[in-house]
Amino acid sequence: MTARAADRARYDRATAHLDAPVAIVDLDAFDANADDLVRRAGGKPIRVASKSVRCRALLERTLARDGFAGVMSYTLAESLWLARSGFEDVLLAYPSADRARYAELAADPKLASAVTVMVDDPAQLDLIDAARDGGRETVCVCLELDTSLRLLGGRVRVGARRSPLHSPAEVADLARAVTRREGFEVVGIMAYEGHVAGVGDAVAGRPLRSRAVRLMQAAARRELAERRAAVVRAVRAVVPGLEFVNGGGTGSVQHTAAEDAVTEIAAGSGLYVPRLFDNYTSFRGRPAALFAQPVVRRPGVGVVTVLGGGYPASGAAGTDRLPVPYLPEGLRYDPQEGAGEVQTPLLGSPADDLLIGDKVWFRHAKAGELCERFDALHLVEGDAVTATVPTYRGEGHTFL
């Protein structure tokens, strides 16, 4: 029996009392992945990205482990909810235009001490001030650096279009603008190198593309390490008490941690290890989050149909954004139908061994987005479900 076949047997036994659709997290794999992230971080604390987890119980489990400290959130409403739930260090990774929540933040000393918001433009400070509604608490802010690699005099850009702040002078200028305004304090810098941390460099069947990605990423790491260090020096000249410099992501943990200027690493997807993280040479994780759909039809030889399953991930549309049939091994989508909203045909010889009601296990393309489809995660240890915990959706929250 292969390791994957053994996992399938375990998951089927553990969830025999549960009807599919159902989502699980294999805690043995989850904890092993957490240990690997800590090892790769080389002693620097990891701020866990809530977007990639979307389950309070698993965020708490992660933060209880040595090597993890703080949460990186994705909306202001989520940030305040987490702070009210007892999370004491929440960094909002994206600018917000949520005026009502800014008013809450500025009026509540507990929230203001726990939550740091992201800015990269003085206009965002104007919006926060206009939203205060009398609140006088100091709002802690983090400045975001654009990490994109610019080549040929800026005519070629590699990386996400995030912050407009690219040079040390631009980031330092915004730091000065913040310090001149009453009611704000610069506490950190964030720089997310998504073109390194979020792009696989070993794409199956694409050796030339993989080689090109590795060359690009090596160049990007060198350029960013030098520029990030210069940015930190420039900002510390304005804000000597800067508390943190956040960088990285699951795919670049060890590289980012090697930079002296970086004080903490962000990571979250590496806990679940969705399918997009199969294509990396720098690390190997264990799939920890899966979902099962039930077989509801047997249309013919070598074909079964499962209920639903069309859960595409965000990003540029493509087959790499689809969940992948994982267990039993050897199933694939019908190219004419793909993953459907209410039913999904699956092809392959393993289909002939599946009966009506059997489970087919899938891996989602991205990490936390799976939790937008399920209100609970069943936590598996060995061949038993040892706990069932709500996702954000199960607690009545869909923040985006």
Side-chain angles (χ1 to χ4, degrees):
M1 180 182 290
T2 67
R4 279 174 61 174
D7 282 341
R8 180 195 174 199
R10 286 196 302 116
Y11 300 150
D12 282 348
R13 286 194 298 269
T15 62
H17 63 295
L18 299 171
D19 289 332
V22 65
I24 66 167
V25 171
D26 183 334
L27 288 182
D28 292 336
F30 183 91
D31 291 344
N33 292 335
D35 289 342
D36 188 60
L37 287 170
V38 171
R39 177 190 62 79
R40 291 166 58 206
K44 291 189 176 177
I46 298 171
R47 185 180 292 273
V48 59
S50 65
K51 179 175 72 70
S52 300
V53 179
R54 303 194 201 199
C55 171
R56 273 201 305 165
L58 291 176
L59 289 174
E60 291 165 352
R61 182 185 185 91
T62 304
L63 290 171
R65 305 177 70 87
D66 291 340
F68 290 87
V71 174
M72 177 176 281
S73 59
Y74 61 96
T75 74
L76 184 55
E78 179 212 13
S79 304
L80 302 190
W81 177 65
L82 289 174
R84 290 185 172 115
S85 300
F87 293 83
E88 297 179 349
D89 180 5
V90 182
L91 170 62
L92 175 57
Y94 306 88
S96 176
D98 190 338
R99 294 174 175 82
R101 273 24 179 265
Y102 275 132
E104 294 177 32
L105 178 66
D108 188 320
K110 177 183 176 181
L111 297 179
S113 67
V115 175
T116 297
V117 304
M118 193 65 59
V119 300
D120 57 34
D121 190 315
Q124 295 156 352
L125 303 176
D126 295 337
L127 186 147
I128 296 170
D129 267 338
R132 284 179 182 272
D133 194 27
R136 297 182 178 274
E137 296 298 323
T138 297
V139 175
C140 295
V141 302
C142 178
L143 311 179
E144 181 168 3
L145 168 68
D146 169 41
T147 65
S148 64
L149 176 64
R150 298 182 182 180
L151 304 170
L152 301 177
R155 293 191 295 275
V156 175
R157 174 195 179 104
V158 181
R161 298 182 182 276
R162 291 177 62 112
S163 170
L165 307 176
H166 189 79
S167 70
E170 289 170 334
V171 185
D173 284 346
L174 183 57
R176 278 187 285 271
V178 175
T179 60
R180 288 195 294 263
R181 297 181 71 137
E182 185 177 353
F184 293 95
E185 180 182 2
V186 175
V187 298
I189 298 171
M190 186 189 83
Y192 172 58
E193 51 267 48
H195 51 302
V196 177
V199 178
D201 63 349
V203 182
R206 305 285 296 277
L208 295 180
R209 174 178 170 80
S210 299
R211 172 68 172 163
V213 169
R214 286 193 289 273
L215 291 172
M216 176 276 292
Q217 290 180 340
R221 288 196 301 266
R222 289 192 298 270
E223 186 276 338
L224 180 59
E226 181 178 338
R227 181 160 53 89
R228 181 154 41 197
V231 166
V232 172
R233 289 193 298 271
V235 173
R236 287 195 185 279
V238 179
V239 186
L242 193 72
E243 296 176 12
F244 65 86
V245 177
N246 181 281
T250 288
S252 69
V253 171
Q254 65 271 38
H255 301 298
T256 308
E259 295 182 34
D260 291 338
V262 174
T263 66
E264 64 176 42
I265 311 300
S269 295
L271 296 168
Y272 287 166
V273 186
R275 65 167 294 198
L276 284 179
F277 284 87
D278 288 347
N279 302 321
Y280 285 76
T281 58
S282 60
F283 77 102
R284 286 288 184 272
R286 292 172 55 185
L290 302 96
F291 68 93
Q293 304 297 115
V295 174
V296 292
R297 285 178 169 163
R298 292 171 51 88
V301 175
V303 186
V304 291
T305 301
V306 298
L307 183 72
Y311 305 157
S314 61
T319 56
D320 65 335
R321 300 292 147 166
L322 296 178
V324 60
Y326 184 60
L327 302 170
E329 298 180 67
L331 293 174
R332 65 186 186 278
Y333 292 119
D334 181 336
Q336 296 185 56
E337 297 196 47
E341 178 186 8
V342 291
Q343 69 169 30
T344 297
L346 297 171
L347 312 180
S349 59
D352 294 330
D353 296 323
L354 291 169
L355 304 177
I356 299 297
D358 284 351
K359 295 181 175 79
V360 174
W361 295 92
F362 293 77
R363 293 172 63 203
H364 203 270
K366 296 182 75 173
E369 294 181 20
L370 168 66
C371 294
E372 298 298 329
R373 299 287 184 168
F374 292 88
D375 59 11
L377 297 173
H378 300 281
L379 308 184
V380 173
E381 295 182 81
D383 60 358
V385 171
T386 57
T388 298
V389 296
T391 61
Y392 280 11
R393 171 178 167 167
E395 295 200 66
H397 295 288
T398 51
F399 292 110
L400 275 179

